[in-house]
Amino acid sequence: QQFHALGGGLVALGCASSFFVRRREAVLLALAFLSTLLPSLKFQMSAFEDSTLYLPSLFVMALWLALGGEMLARASTKRLGRWGPYLVVFLLGLLGLTSFISNWSVLNAVHQDRSRRLFAHETLSADLPADAIILGAWTQTTPLRYLQGVEGVRRDVAVIQAPLAAP
């Protein structure tokens, strides 16, 4: 989803080329990829849907994408001369741009979501006694702390992140 078909092809090309050129590093990258991907898949299936769990795996895939781009640039130099690598860089830039454009609706929806702010504002606007303590998970306490620190709302209330307080 992040890399599209062309990016997936470059990732596969980079992964394969790394196995032929530097086998030890390729095995370590593959182990790093699997050791971050498999727990993320297990956690996501059992808890909630959050694509940020895949970020470490995406970093390894980005390395493979770069290796695939390098291999393609070298091959294009043989076929297209000195303009080959420039064409590859342009196509990789186009890949990033198309990924951004295709995910724009998701990015815009996240930006338009005001539910966390509304929750935080309602929580801090409630009739709480002075020096009250609010416990919550990270997703709950972050907007509360923002309202307190940036907007100055109810600084007399203590907001404490408690990882096991998740709903």
Side-chain angles (χ1 to χ4, degrees):
Q1 183 182 9
Q2 271 74 13
F3 295 115
H4 299 294
L6 175 64
L10 283 174
V11 166
L13 182 66
C15 182
S17 71
S18 68
F19 273 103
F20 289 115
V21 177
R22 295 184 172 190
R23 189 171 305 262
R24 184 180 312 157
E25 288 86 354
V27 168
L28 290 174
L29 271 178
L31 288 174
F33 177 74
L34 291 175
S35 68
T36 58
L37 179 67
L38 295 178
S40 299
L41 286 172
K42 182 177 187 268
F43 182 71
Q44 183 177 4
M45 288 179 187
S46 64
F48 58 91
E49 187 168 329
D50 185 6
S51 61
T52 58
L53 296 173
Y54 298 111
L55 282 178
S57 302
L58 290 175
F59 289 141
V60 175
M61 288 179 71
L63 288 172
W64 282 332
L65 180 84
L67 290 172
E70 179 200 15
M71 186 173 188
L72 191 62
R74 286 182 186 198
S76 68
T77 302
K78 293 176 184 174
R79 300 244 187 225
L80 303 172
R82 70 179 207 167
W83 293 105
Y86 294 113
L87 180 63
V88 170
V89 168
F90 173 75
L91 290 175
L92 287 175
L94 196 60
L95 175 69
L97 183 63
T98 58
S99 179
F100 178 76
I101 290 170
S102 67
N103 288 314
W104 177 254
S105 61
V106 174
L107 293 170
N108 196 30
V110 169
H111 179 69
Q112 298 297 328
D113 182 18
R114 304 277 187 232
S115 61
R116 295 290 180 190
R117 180 180 177 78
L118 182 62
F119 160 77
H121 192 45
E122 288 175 353
T123 301
L124 290 176
S125 297
D127 188 24
L128 297 171
D131 298 328
I133 299 173
I134 299 175
L135 295 175
W138 177 84
T139 56
Q140 299 163 332
T141 59
T142 302
L144 293 168
R145 288 181 179 163
Y146 172 82
L147 286 179
Q148 286 181 319
V150 175
E151 298 184 12
V153 178
R154 291 299 305 260
R155 291 187 178 180
D156 62 322
V157 174
V159 177
I160 300 172
Q161 178 182 338
L164 299 178

